[in-house]
mmCIF file of all heavy atoms in Angstrom:
data_model
loop_
_atom_site.group_PDB
_atom_site.id
_atom_site.type_symbol
_atom_site.label_atom_id
_atom_site.label_comp_id
_atom_site.label_asym_id
_atom_site.label_seq_id
_atom_site.Cartn_x
_atom_site.Cartn_y
_atom_site.Cartn_z
ATOM 1 N N ARG M 324 107.557 82.319 114.723
ATOM 2 C CA ARG M 324 106.771 82.354 113.495
ATOM 3 C C ARG M 324 106.545 83.814 113.132
ATOM 4 O O ARG M 324 106.096 84.602 113.965
ATOM 5 C CB ARG M 324 105.427 81.658 113.729
ATOM 6 C CG ARG M 324 104.594 81.571 112.473
ATOM 7 C CD ARG M 324 103.281 80.892 112.727
ATOM 8 N NE ARG M 324 102.266 81.744 112.136
ATOM 9 C CZ ARG M 324 100.993 81.667 112.393
ATOM 10 N NH1 ARG M 324 100.550 80.794 113.258
ATOM 11 N NH2 ARG M 324 100.147 82.451 111.804
ATOM 12 N N ILE M 325 106.885 84.172 111.929
ATOM 13 C CA ILE M 325 106.674 85.536 111.460
ATOM 14 C C ILE M 325 105.823 85.463 110.199
ATOM 15 O O ILE M 325 106.117 84.700 109.279
ATOM 16 C CB ILE M 325 108.006 86.252 111.153
ATOM 17 C CG1 ILE M 325 108.829 86.391 112.442
ATOM 18 C CG2 ILE M 325 107.760 87.618 110.514
ATOM 19 C CD1 ILE M 325 110.211 86.993 112.246
ATOM 20 N N ASP M 326 104.784 86.255 110.168
ATOM 21 C CA ASP M 326 103.910 86.344 109.006
ATOM 22 C C ASP M 326 103.860 87.802 108.575
ATOM 23 O O ASP M 326 103.840 88.702 109.414
ATOM 24 C CB ASP M 326 102.491 85.859 109.342
ATOM 25 C CG ASP M 326 102.486 84.431 109.858
ATOM 26 O OD1 ASP M 326 103.129 83.575 109.224
ATOM 27 O OD2 ASP M 326 101.855 84.177 110.893
ATOM 28 N N PHE M 327 103.831 88.028 107.293
ATOM 29 C CA PHE M 327 103.741 89.370 106.744
ATOM 30 C C PHE M 327 102.343 89.559 106.167
ATOM 31 O O PHE M 327 101.871 88.724 105.398
ATOM 32 C CB PHE M 327 104.800 89.574 105.654
ATOM 33 C CG PHE M 327 106.202 89.460 106.174
ATOM 34 C CD1 PHE M 327 106.885 88.263 106.106
ATOM 35 C CD2 PHE M 327 106.834 90.563 106.748
ATOM 36 C CE1 PHE M 327 108.181 88.151 106.589
ATOM 37 C CE2 PHE M 327 108.125 90.463 107.233
ATOM 38 C CZ PHE M 327 108.807 89.254 107.160
ATOM 39 N N PHE M 328 101.684 90.646 106.546
ATOM 40 C CA PHE M 328 100.315 90.917 106.125
ATOM 41 C C PHE M 328 100.288 92.128 105.201
ATOM 42 O O PHE M 328 101.012 93.103 105.417
ATOM 43 C CB PHE M 328 99.432 91.190 107.352
ATOM 44 C CG PHE M 328 99.272 89.989 108.245
ATOM 45 C CD1 PHE M 328 100.228 89.691 109.205
ATOM 46 C CD2 PHE M 328 98.184 89.147 108.111
ATOM 47 C CE1 PHE M 328 100.094 88.576 110.024
ATOM 48 C CE2 PHE M 328 98.045 88.030 108.923
ATOM 49 C CZ PHE M 328 99.010 87.751 109.881
ATOM 50 N N GLY M 329 99.457 92.041 104.184
ATOM 51 C CA GLY M 329 99.325 93.140 103.236
ATOM 52 C C GLY M 329 98.290 92.791 102.190
ATOM 53 O O GLY M 329 97.323 92.080 102.470
ATOM 54 N N THR M 330 98.504 93.252 100.970
ATOM 55 C CA THR M 330 97.567 93.029 99.877
ATOM 56 C C THR M 330 98.296 92.341 98.733
ATOM 57 O O THR M 330 99.332 92.836 98.277
ATOM 58 C CB THR M 330 96.959 94.362 99.390
ATOM 59 O OG1 THR M 330 96.451 95.060 100.518
ATOM 60 C CG2 THR M 330 95.851 94.133 98.389
ATOM 61 N N CYS M 331 97.762 91.206 98.280
ATOM 62 C CA CYS M 331 98.387 90.451 97.188
ATOM 63 C C CYS M 331 98.249 91.224 95.869
ATOM 64 O O CYS M 331 97.455 92.160 95.748
ATOM 65 C CB CYS M 331 97.772 89.056 97.074
ATOM 66 S SG CYS M 331 96.065 89.023 96.477
ATOM 67 N N GLN M 332 99.031 90.806 94.872
ATOM 68 C CA GLN M 332 99.014 91.475 93.564
ATOM 69 C C GLN M 332 97.647 91.413 92.904
ATOM 70 O O GLN M 332 97.209 92.372 92.281
ATOM 71 C CB GLN M 332 100.072 90.872 92.647
ATOM 72 C CG GLN M 332 101.477 91.237 93.072
ATOM 73 C CD GLN M 332 102.524 90.666 92.145
ATOM 74 O OE1 GLN M 332 102.277 89.689 91.439
ATOM 75 N NE2 GLN M 332 103.701 91.265 92.148
ATOM 76 N N LYS M 333 96.971 90.284 93.056
ATOM 77 C CA LYS M 333 95.645 90.124 92.441
ATOM 78 C C LYS M 333 94.667 91.165 93.006
ATOM 79 O O LYS M 333 93.945 91.816 92.257
ATOM 80 C CB LYS M 333 95.139 88.709 92.696
ATOM 81 C CG LYS M 333 93.952 88.293 91.887
ATOM 82 C CD LYS M 333 93.658 86.819 92.131
ATOM 83 C CE LYS M 333 92.519 86.324 91.302
ATOM 84 N NZ LYS M 333 92.243 84.895 91.538
ATOM 85 N N CYS M 334 94.657 91.309 94.328
ATOM 86 C CA CYS M 334 93.758 92.284 94.955
ATOM 87 C C CYS M 334 94.186 93.719 94.657
ATOM 88 O O CYS M 334 93.337 94.606 94.514
ATOM 89 C CB CYS M 334 93.681 92.051 96.458
ATOM 90 S SG CYS M 334 92.806 90.520 96.896
ATOM 91 N N GLN M 335 95.491 93.951 94.533
ATOM 92 C CA GLN M 335 95.977 95.278 94.155
ATOM 93 C C GLN M 335 95.465 95.650 92.767
ATOM 94 O O GLN M 335 95.024 96.782 92.544
ATOM 95 C CB GLN M 335 97.506 95.321 94.158
ATOM 96 C CG GLN M 335 98.136 95.280 95.529
ATOM 97 C CD GLN M 335 99.646 95.206 95.430
ATOM 98 O OE1 GLN M 335 100.269 95.990 94.704
ATOM 99 N NE2 GLN M 335 100.241 94.259 96.135
ATOM 100 N N SER M 336 95.515 94.673 91.849
ATOM 101 C CA SER M 336 95.040 94.911 90.483
ATOM 102 C C SER M 336 93.547 95.199 90.470
ATOM 103 O O SER M 336 93.081 96.108 89.780
ATOM 104 C CB SER M 336 95.329 93.706 89.590
ATOM 105 O OG SER M 336 96.705 93.531 89.444
ATOM 106 N N LYS M 337 92.777 94.413 91.233
ATOM 107 C CA LYS M 337 91.318 94.628 91.308
ATOM 108 C C LYS M 337 91.025 96.019 91.859
ATOM 109 O O LYS M 337 90.136 96.710 91.375
ATOM 110 C CB LYS M 337 90.677 93.583 92.217
ATOM 111 C CG LYS M 337 90.535 92.235 91.607
ATOM 112 C CD LYS M 337 89.838 91.290 92.601
ATOM 113 C CE LYS M 337 89.794 89.878 92.105
ATOM 114 N NZ LYS M 337 89.233 88.959 93.111
#
Side-chain angles (χ1 to χ4, degrees):
R324 184 180 131 196
I325 296 176
D326 302 312
F327 297 94
F328 294 84
T330 309
C331 70
Q332 289 181 338
K333 193 174 183 180
C334 290
Q335 289 175 49
S336 295
K337 284 182 186 175

